[in-house]
Amino acid sequence: MTSFEVAVVGRGLIGSAAARHLAEDGRSVALIGPGEPVDYATSSGPFASHYDEGRITRMIDPDPTWSQLAIRSIARYADIEERSGVPFHTGAGLVYASAEPRADLALALELDIDAREVTATEVAERFGIAMSSAEPIILESAPAGHINPRRMIVAQNRLASAAGGVIVDAPVSAAAPTRNGVQLTVGNDTMLADCVLFCTGAWAAELVAVDLPLERTLRTILLAELDDGPPLPSLISRAETDSDRDVYWVPPVRFPDGRIMLKIGGYDRSVGRATDPADVVDWFRSGGSPTEADGLEDRLRVLLPDRTIRSRDMKPCVVTDTPHGLPWIDWIDDRVAVAIGGCGSAAKSADEIGRLAGTLFADEGWTDPVLKLASFTPSHTG
């Protein structure tokens, strides 16, 4: 039976980053998980929201912990791209409107983030974006912009493999403790690891047999093909009092079907929630909510009044939230750890979240002088 020091389960953004850091630190590592489903309508999963071409990357945030996670991750983008040979980052900038913009800007400047206050008029003249907020708007310069999650995972996997990590393209269906570690059922095979790190997002609780108080929100993303116009930055608008109008977008990027599409989503978490994996499977198979997509299209037309939508599509995704609003990086027991709960903000910070998860397996453990472990006591279900 093949054996490793650490098995990282989940080949998404966090799991791939954790495996790279562990492998480059000299650990014997297996990174395990299936690839993207070929047909969403018939697949039984597991699904994931990182099967995507664009995610916002930024350092500004109302929470200094999220800012620190992003600052550290973004600082390593260029090195990951250069050593892997896989580009995934575009510094298109970010237009950011929030309920407390001056407080957010003050924190950004304290952390030496390149951001400044701009007016709605300036945003309209430069980008053609119609911002209705009377509050100041913040423009964060590059490296804010967006990343390609699929390509970032390829880059991380390539570096993990180069450092001696083993990539296993198969799902894990069971994990059982043994005298010598944890035995994993991987496809039709079994593997043994001294310790296991689960980076499995919405699927974590069932795999680790622990009642993790995670909330899985079912969301719909609208993809819109626009006519020609000025280059757009990434955008976050949380300044509206009506949460249905709080949106974000990734500017137009090329998708696998060849179309160049803007991706827009909403921040309203009052929509459907999944209580178990079967709900998540049904949601991804459904293709998403046409009603939510229509609402996003209406919002996009308000924000870009002079642009024409040539075509549109939609896709489902799931946001996994924690009670404390931060990723949960902690031990379940003396052999099993988790790094889960992106809270809709983890893609840009995944490299640092993965690095921190890897430090759980070091002799000294988590010794970060700035960030504190966001943790709670789990209750076992079996």
Side-chain angles (χ1 to χ4, degrees):
M1 183 185 302
T2 308
S3 180
F4 297 88
E5 288 182 76
V6 183
V8 179
V9 179
R11 286 172 54 210
L13 288 161
I14 294 174
S16 295
R20 174 180 78 82
H21 283 285
L22 285 163
E24 291 182 346
D25 285 343
R27 297 280 182 168
S28 167
V29 179
L31 175 60
I32 310 168
E36 185 171 353
V38 175
D39 185 352
Y40 277 43
T42 60
S43 174
S44 59
F47 296 94
S49 297
H50 61 258
Y51 304 136
D52 195 4
E53 297 300 305
R55 292 291 183 87
I56 293 174
T57 188
R58 60 187 167 93
M59 293 180 279
I60 193 167
D61 197 280
D63 188 324
T65 298
W66 276 114
S67 285
Q68 288 284 357
L69 290 170
I71 288 168
R72 297 177 186 187
S73 288
I74 292 170
R76 292 193 287 267
Y77 284 179
D79 174 69
I80 297 169
E81 288 181 318
E82 181 179 358
R83 292 194 295 119
S84 69
V86 181
F88 57 81
H89 171 231
T90 302
L94 169 76
V95 168
Y96 179 83
S98 72
E100 299 184 24
R102 289 191 171 89
D104 295 342
L105 182 58
L107 175 60
L109 297 178
E110 181 181 330
L111 296 174
D112 200 27
I113 296 170
D114 186 1
R116 64 183 177 90
E117 184 179 313
V118 294
T119 64
T121 299
E122 182 178 346
V123 170
E125 291 176 350
R126 182 172 175 183
F127 304 114
I129 303 172
M131 304 291 286
S132 59
S133 172
E135 294 293 329
I137 300 164
I138 299 171
L139 179 64
E140 182 181 344
S141 301
H146 51 93
I147 57 171
N148 183 312
R150 287 188 176 106
R151 292 185 64 82
M152 188 174 188
I153 288 170
V154 170
Q156 298 279 32
N157 281 220
R158 186 172 292 182
L159 293 178
S161 181
V166 175
I167 313 298
V168 182
D169 184 5
V172 172
S173 57
T178 70
R179 287 192 309 168
N180 301 318
V182 181
Q183 182 173 302
L184 300 170
T185 302
V186 183
N188 296 320
D189 298 323
T190 58
M191 300 176 63
L192 185 66
D194 295 342
C195 297
V196 179
L197 173 65
F198 283 94
C199 306
T200 45
W203 309 86
E206 289 68 28
L207 282 171
V208 300
V210 168
D211 184 16
L212 304 174
L214 300 172
E215 192 171 78
R216 295 173 282 204
T217 305
L218 309 176
R219 299 312 315 257
T220 298
I221 300 299
L222 176 72
L223 304 176
E225 183 183 20
L226 303 176
D227 63 348
D228 293 336
L232 293 171
S234 293
L235 176 139
I236 292 175
S237 176
R238 284 175 163 165
E240 303 290 347
T241 56
D242 180 357
S243 63
D244 289 335
R245 296 170 63 82
D246 285 1
V247 296
Y248 66 89
W249 78 38
V250 175
V253 295
R254 188 176 299 278
F255 278 76
D257 65 1
R259 287 184 296 174
I260 298 175
M261 311 283 274
L262 177 146
K263 186 185 86 170
I264 183 170
Y267 282 107
D268 181 16
R269 303 292 174 86
S270 64
V271 293
R273 289 182 170 81
T275 58
D276 58 52
D279 295 335
V280 179
V281 170
D282 290 344
W283 176 246
F284 275 97
R285 284 177 169 176
S286 76
S289 165
T291 301
E292 189 175 359
D294 289 345
L296 291 169
E297 180 177 340
D298 291 342
R299 185 69 175 124
L300 180 60
R301 292 184 186 279
V302 171
L303 287 165
L304 294 176
D306 298 326
R307 303 290 289 269
T308 298
I309 299 176
R310 291 173 171 169
S311 67
R312 57 167 267 183
D313 203 349
M314 65 179 189
K315 59 179 291 187
C317 74
V318 173
V319 177
T320 306
D321 288 303
T322 63
H324 39 64
L326 293 169
W328 185 31
I329 309 169
D330 205 357
W331 289 98
I332 293 293
D333 56 36
D334 59 355
R335 291 191 180 274
V336 176
V338 294
I340 54 174
C343 306
S345 299
K348 66 186 182 302
S349 304
D351 190 67
E352 178 63 6
I353 296 170
R355 187 194 71 81
L356 292 170
T359 66
L360 293 174
F361 302 89
D363 292 339
E364 62 274 18
W366 189 320
T367 59
D368 190 279
V370 177
L371 302 179
K372 297 187 181 299
L373 206 65
S375 182
F376 48 81
T377 302
S379 59
H380 288 258
T381 61

